Amino acid sequence: MDWTQVFTIIGTLSAIIGGYVFLINKRFEDMNKRFEDVNRRFEDMNRRIDRIEQDIRDIKTELKEMRKELTEIKVFLYRVLEIPHKEDKG
């Protein structure tokens, strides 16, 4: 085997290995894009969940306020309805 054949074999193997390295790098780039896409989806889901949690907190606050108002209405109604009963008894 002379040097030309050795260099030809080395060149061919280098080209084949270089092709595989290129393909592997391409695969890694594709995987990174997929991971970034999945991360974006998770971030979007987290934002949506945060909005929903905030809506739930707002609803709870409104319910507490409504309960207070209902309690006040009950007290007023009790006062209004009790006064005639006291007058009727007396």
Side-chain angles (χ1 to χ4, degrees):
M1 190 184 285
D2 63 350
W3 285 106
T4 21
Q5 289 176 333
V6 171
F7 287 134
T8 305
I9 292 172
I10 290 173
T12 305
L13 287 175
S14 296
I16 292 171
I17 291 172
Y20 280 118
V21 168
F22 175 77
L23 290 176
I24 289 172
N25 282 336
K26 183 73 173 155
R27 291 260 173 139
F28 278 125
E29 289 173 4
D30 290 344
M31 293 281 292
N32 284 335
K33 287 179 185 177
R34 289 180 186 164
F35 284 135
E36 289 171 0
D37 188 40
V38 169
N39 282 336
R40 269 187 250 115
R41 288 181 184 173
F42 277 124
E43 289 172 0
D44 185 48
M45 286 174 53
N46 284 333
R47 279 193 300 274
R48 289 179 181 181
I49 289 172
D50 288 342
R51 273 190 242 132
I52 291 170
E53 288 175 342
Q54 183 60 45
D55 288 346
I56 290 172
R57 284 192 291 272
D58 293 343
I59 290 170
K60 284 181 177 180
T61 303
E62 287 180 21
L63 278 173
K64 286 178 183 177
E65 291 173 5
M66 291 173 78
R67 283 187 185 131
K68 282 181 181 177
E69 291 175 359
L70 277 174
T71 303
E72 290 175 5
I73 290 171
K74 285 179 184 178
V75 168
F76 288 138
L77 281 175
Y78 180 76
R79 286 180 185 165
V80 167
L81 295 175
E82 279 298 310
I83 292 173
H85 291 294
K86 288 181 180 176
E87 291 173 358
D88 290 340
K89 291 180 183 177

